[in-house]
Amino acid sequence: MPDALSGVRVLDAATLFAGPLAATLLADFGAEVIKIEHPKGDPVRSHGARRDGVGLWWKMLGRNKKAITLYLGSPEGQEVFRRLAADADVVIENFRPGTLERWGLGYDELKKINPRLVLARVTGFGQTGPYSRRPGFGTLAEAMSGFAAITGEPDGPPTLPPFGLADGIAALTTAFAVMTALRAREATGEGQVVDLAIIEPILTLLGPQIITYDQLGELQARTGNRSHNNAPRNTYRTHDGGWVAISTSAQSIAERVMRLVGRPEYIDEPWFATGAERAEHADELDEAVGSWIAQRDRDEVVKAFEEAEAAVAPIYTAADVMTDPQFEALGTITTVPDDELGPVRMQNVLFRLSQTPGHIDSAGPPLGAHTAEILARYGVGEAELAELRAKGVVK
């Protein structure tokens, strides 16, 4: 059976994280993704850890893609891009608004040569508005969305995540938006523009903050690992120096936890009947649960919670994830062949489809590895390729 996205051709002209990750997700399920990089390479190639000079983040982000180089700021590069776009289903880009238009590659021009094209524009602040031309990164979205304001300890500063949270959320949203636009194209026969501002998707995932402020004038405060909606809910240190996390969003789970730790008397308290009221007594509940956990090793705690059918999870590092039997059963970590590094392990596709499962066939390729192969498909012969290389349009 063909892959779910077999026949969908994507030009990934974005850099760093949100746009390229959206293209990766499409590639995982069979889309042909042609990664278009400046001859100097996508900056992600030099981000983060490297082995033997090879960027490991790139190996993950560039997986399943064909890599070509093309300087879009040159007339020659723009002409080659038009040839590629004429045969594409999707273009993903994250240049500042107006850049494509300045190059003669705006949607009004591209749709003349390919009316079915979907153009996904992924920027920090969107295509319009007073901030649209500002440089935008996920960190700014984490700040402006309200995420940082509610993250951290009550007496500490607003806290940012140590990874690309907003970028990842934007990537997932972009992939969904692209598929929505492709589905609409089936009905209309025409493509359209996806305008994705990184500041927006994370705002939706933060839940009812906006409507709560609108209706009650209330602002959510920082509560550390605690929640306003239930308790006990925290991380707890075990006797052997490990950590576990528990949550009691369901009333029945909260009752099981208190019976397990030998404090069933709390269940009869009037305030124990709702999560919000339990949260007002978080200090005493944390003390009861935390003292019980502190006397036991992590594996013993997890086993006891499982036997009591109470929700618990150990606090893992990447090393723990690699050896966990549940992740192993799901196939969450997969081994991918790579010509530069040999076999590498990374996260597998996001979900499992019973009939058209996704797969990862290759890690991120070297810079320009497929330039000659792809451009030959669009009529760029050896002589023209040599000329483009001489001009620095491709590498």
Side-chain angles (χ1 to χ4, degrees):
M1 182 176 293
D3 291 329
L5 299 182
S6 178
V8 174
R9 181 166 293 150
V10 179
L11 303 184
D12 173 11
T15 58
L16 292 174
F17 309 116
L21 180 55
T24 302
L25 302 177
L26 300 174
D28 285 350
F29 289 90
E32 181 188 38
V33 175
I34 300 172
K35 175 67 180 179
I36 300 175
E37 299 177 73
H38 189 284
K40 294 180 180 179
D42 189 316
V44 79
R45 288 182 179 272
S46 59
H47 265 62
R50 288 190 265 184
R51 177 186 159 203
D52 300 332
V54 178
L56 301 181
W57 204 336
W58 164 253
K59 286 298 175 185
M60 174 190 169
L61 196 61
R63 70 193 193 192
N64 285 340
K65 298 180 183 180
K66 295 181 178 179
I68 73 170
T69 57
L70 192 62
Y71 176 45
L72 297 179
S74 67
E76 297 88 349
Q78 293 156 13
E79 176 54 33
V80 172
F81 185 83
R82 291 187 188 96
R83 295 191 220 177
L84 296 172
D87 194 37
D89 296 286
V90 180
V91 170
I92 300 176
E93 62 94 10
N94 68 339
F95 299 105
R96 290 198 202 183
T99 301
L100 283 187
E101 285 73 13
R102 190 172 69 251
W103 290 339
L105 301 174
Y107 191 67
D108 287 345
E109 296 301 319
L110 294 179
K111 72 178 181 181
K112 292 177 183 177
I113 59 176
N114 185 355
R116 293 174 56 81
L117 184 68
V118 171
L119 175 62
R121 317 194 75 169
V122 185
T123 58
F125 301 100
Q127 298 295 307
T128 59
Y131 304 160
S132 61
R133 292 191 59 78
R134 290 183 183 179
F137 299 99
T139 297
L140 309 187
E142 290 146 12
M144 289 182 63
S145 64
F147 173 85
I150 65 170
T151 304
E153 295 299 324
D155 56 352
T159 302
L160 297 167
F163 66 101
L165 175 63
D167 282 301
I169 295 171
L172 290 164
T173 309
T174 300
F176 170 62
V178 165
M179 297 309 301
T180 302
L182 290 177
R183 176 64 182 88
R185 190 180 71 174
E186 293 180 9
T188 66
E190 296 183 356
Q192 59 184 299
V193 176
V194 172
D195 179 6
L196 195 292
I198 297 174
I199 58 174
E200 290 183 300
I202 187 173
L203 186 61
T204 295
L205 265 65
L206 287 173
Q209 288 190 50
I210 298 298
I211 192 171
T212 299
Y213 179 71
D214 174 65
Q215 295 296 304
L216 302 176
E218 296 178 359
L219 294 173
Q220 184 173 338
R222 291 189 289 281
T223 57
N225 291 323
R226 289 178 172 176
S227 168
H228 289 296
N229 301 312
N230 70 83
R233 191 262 197 184
N234 212 327
T235 59
Y236 305 88
R237 194 175 183 91
T238 59
H239 182 263
D240 56 355
W243 291 86
V244 296
I246 71 169
S247 178
T248 55
S249 296
Q251 181 68 22
S252 59
I253 298 294
E255 294 175 5
R256 291 171 193 166
V257 168
M258 301 318 297
R259 291 191 185 98
L260 172 64
V261 302
R263 304 297 291 272
E265 67 274 13
Y266 281 117
I267 299 173
D268 297 325
E269 294 287 349
W271 51 261
F272 198 86
T274 69
E277 288 181 291
R278 294 200 308 273
E280 295 176 2
H281 294 263
D283 285 342
E284 32 190 318
L285 293 175
D286 272 348
E287 190 283 326
V289 173
S291 61
W292 185 90
I293 289 175
Q295 300 173 43
R296 292 161 175 82
D297 290 347
R298 189 182 76 175
D299 289 348
E300 181 184 355
V301 171
V302 172
K303 182 179 180 181
F305 267 72
E306 288 181 344
E307 290 175 349
E309 297 185 358
V312 68
I315 304 295
Y316 273 178
T317 66
D320 298 311
V321 171
M322 300 282 267
T323 59
D324 180 84
Q326 181 61 33
F327 285 127
E328 182 179 359
L330 294 172
T332 306
I333 307 299
T334 189
T335 300
V336 182
D338 183 68
D339 292 338
E340 293 180 288
L341 299 177
V344 296
R345 288 192 289 173
M346 64 179 68
Q347 299 94 317
N348 208 339
V349 299
L350 279 179
F351 47 84
R352 288 159 293 280
L353 296 178
S354 62
Q355 297 299 314
T356 54
H359 49 88
I360 303 171
D361 299 322
S362 60
L367 181 64
H370 303 95
T371 299
E373 171 194 335
I374 296 298
L375 296 193
R377 184 194 298 173
Y378 296 92
V380 177
E382 292 183 8
E384 185 178 0
L385 183 61
E387 183 178 352
L388 292 173
R389 282 180 172 149
K391 292 181 177 180
V393 178
V394 301
K395 182 176 179 180

